[in-house]
Amino acid sequence: MLFGSLAQFWYFCHRNVETIRINKLKILRIMTVKPMADRVLVLPEAAEEKTSTGLFIPDTAKEKPVKGEVVAVGNGTKDEEMVLKVGDKVLYGKYAGTELEADGTKYLIMRQSDVLAVVE
């Protein structure tokens, strides 16, 4: 058995989940993701649905977004301090980062060096 007790198993499964009570009846679970070292968590912008002339773009022809918002940052490393902060709008490479899905929302986690620019 991987875990010594049921308590260890429960802790392993729930260590990244916060429980919030709403109206004393409903319990909502939210997964918290904290990037490590020089990594950032980015919420990509939605892909374009229509062209400028009003034609709908099918899912197979949509481009991957290259713009997003930083929603969490790591502490940085001793060699490289963290320059990005939560709320920054950034541009990144088309294939940069690793896709991550939490609570039905898709995120990208990437190194700070994969970010090309901060858009103001």
Side-chain angles (χ1 to χ4, degrees):
M1 186 167 154
L2 183 62
F3 301 100
S5 69
L6 185 60
Q8 288 177 340
F9 176 73
W10 185 89
Y11 176 75
F12 176 79
C13 292
H14 294 89
R15 68 178 174 199
N16 289 328
V17 177
E18 292 178 7
T19 303
I20 300 170
R21 204 171 277 281
I22 300 172
N23 295 334
K24 297 181 183 176
L25 299 172
K26 203 183 225 184
I27 295 178
L28 175 67
R29 292 181 181 256
I30 299 172
M31 182 178 191
T32 58
V33 179
K34 174 71 173 143
M36 302 300 291
D38 65 336
R39 289 180 174 76
V40 295
L41 188 67
V42 177
L43 178 64
E45 278 190 356
E48 293 289 326
E49 298 287 329
K50 281 190 199 178
T51 63
S52 59
T53 58
L55 297 175
F56 286 97
I57 301 172
D59 290 336
T60 56
K62 288 182 184 173
E63 294 274 333
K64 285 184 76 168
V66 294
K67 187 177 181 184
E69 181 179 353
V70 176
V71 293
V73 296
N75 295 329
T77 62
K78 64 180 179 180
D79 298 330
E80 183 178 351
E81 69 179 71
M82 187 55 68
V83 178
L84 297 172
K85 57 187 177 297
V86 175
D88 283 347
K89 304 280 186 196
V90 295
L91 297 176
Y92 50 87
K94 188 181 280 192
Y95 300 105
T98 302
E99 290 184 357
L100 171 73
E101 188 169 340
D103 300 324
T105 306
K106 292 186 179 182
Y107 297 97
L108 286 172
I109 190 162
M110 64 183 73
R111 291 189 180 276
Q112 178 177 244
S113 59
D114 290 339
V115 174
L116 304 174
V118 177
V119 180
E120 296 185 18

